[in-house]
Amino acid sequence: MIQRQMKVGLVLLATVIVVSNGWSQADRARGFAARMIGDTGKYISIVLLLDQETSAKVDALCQKEGEAYMAKMQEIMQGASDNREAGLAKMQEEREKYAERIKTGLAGILSEEQIKSIEPILNGRVPSSYRAVEEGGRNALLWVLPSLGLTPEQREKMVKVTVPYACGIHPFISRSPRQQSLTDEDKKKIAELTDTFVKEAGAILTAEQKEKWQTEADKLREQWQKEREERRNR
């Protein structure tokens, strides 16, 4: 049932390599895709607040399949340098195969309920780091939650907050800025969803955890901003 529902999905796990300006940008595209693939397992683990053992399994799966995927994509780009259309068709086929492998692997690690709960995310792409700060992508407040030392009881409550939030903002933040910019209405919706997330998550945390939450999120935003500026200057 879950596999049929997710048949079209998991572009999150089958990262789109941008080649809009031609094959001369292959190296830059591979670097961007590699970063996104590297974040795939982490993002799933964060949204579901998985324990260390399960997170390690998810990350290992995504890393293994991601490396094989990137190697195959590089092979396709090199072989199709003189035929962009044929290369894109082969890349799409490989993305679908990769998605199926990840989907099968996740079914052996996560419960059916967990997979179903994040289906909207699995039907998109991992949030682009290009939207790391001002537009909400890879939201820092979400990403630092696992570092707060949540108790089992807090995790159980918090996952009921993180999953709706991540699924709610995903249609906006998973789009490539090169393909479609966020509108003012999109940004307003993200802000509303984030405000609700902060309020609900904050109610679960202790005063000490809330202080650490904000501090660590600020540090992470600064790190992402620095990384993005460095990429722009290359």
Side-chain angles (χ1 to χ4, degrees):
M1 177 70 175
I2 290 297
Q3 289 190 349
R4 288 199 299 271
Q5 291 175 331
M6 296 167 60
K7 187 174 182 180
V8 182
L10 288 180
V11 185
L12 156 69
L13 308 169
T15 309
V16 176
I17 292 185
V18 180
V19 291
S20 60
N21 292 327
W23 296 105
S24 62
Q25 293 194 9
D27 289 339
R28 184 176 181 180
R30 281 196 297 272
F32 177 63
R35 286 192 299 275
M36 293 178 73
I37 286 175
D39 282 346
T40 296
K42 295 176 186 176
Y43 193 65
I44 292 172
S45 296
I46 288 167
V47 172
L48 291 174
L49 291 171
L50 300 176
D51 59 46
Q52 187 173 358
E53 181 180 356
T54 307
S55 295
K57 291 179 180 178
V58 171
D59 193 52
L61 167 70
C62 294
Q63 290 293 336
K64 177 183 176 182
E65 296 298 345
E67 289 173 6
Y69 170 69
M70 289 302 299
K72 185 63 177 178
M73 296 299 265
Q74 182 174 357
E75 178 185 327
I76 292 173
M77 284 193 289
Q78 291 175 340
S81 59
D82 59 344
N83 191 333
R84 184 170 180 269
E85 185 175 348
L88 290 173
K90 290 181 180 179
M91 289 164 68
Q92 177 60 34
E93 181 181 354
E94 188 59 32
R95 282 193 289 272
E96 292 173 357
K97 291 179 180 178
Y98 168 61
E100 287 298 321
R101 293 196 301 270
I102 290 292
K103 181 167 53 178
T104 300
L106 285 177
I109 301 172
L110 304 178
S111 69
E112 183 174 321
E113 182 180 359
Q114 286 174 315
I115 294 175
K116 187 174 182 179
S117 73
I118 60 170
E119 189 173 351
I121 296 174
L122 299 179
N123 287 337
R125 305 185 324 148
V126 67
S128 167
S129 58
Y130 282 103
R131 287 181 169 147
V133 184
E134 70 272 18
E135 294 181 350
R138 294 176 63 192
N139 187 278
L141 287 169
L142 179 65
W143 278 66
V144 301
L145 276 176
S147 69
L148 302 181
L150 301 176
T151 66
E153 183 180 0
Q154 284 179 313
R155 284 180 178 273
E156 184 178 352
K157 293 179 180 179
M158 191 67 76
V159 77
K160 296 177 182 179
V161 176
T162 57
V163 170
Y165 174 60
C167 291
I169 65 173
H170 196 76
F172 304 106
I173 67 176
S174 62
R175 298 190 305 230
S176 168
R178 300 182 185 184
Q179 296 173 336
Q180 186 177 5
S181 298
L182 291 177
T183 64
D184 289 340
E185 186 62 29
D186 291 339
K187 294 177 183 179
K188 180 181 178 181
K189 183 63 176 179
I190 291 174
E192 291 173 350
L193 290 168
T194 301
D195 287 344
T196 299
F197 165 66
V198 170
K199 180 179 179 180
E200 294 180 348
I204 298 171
L205 301 174
T206 66
E208 183 179 353
Q209 286 173 324
K210 281 192 284 188
E211 182 178 354
K212 182 179 179 181
W213 190 32
Q214 294 292 338
T215 300
E216 294 301 315
D218 288 342
K219 290 180 181 178
L220 192 54
R221 289 190 191 98
E222 291 177 4
Q223 176 186 325
W224 288 342
Q225 182 65 45
K226 182 179 179 181
E227 290 173 356
R228 185 166 59 175
E229 289 174 356
E230 289 175 348
R231 287 197 297 273
R232 285 176 171 174
N233 293 330
R234 288 175 186 171

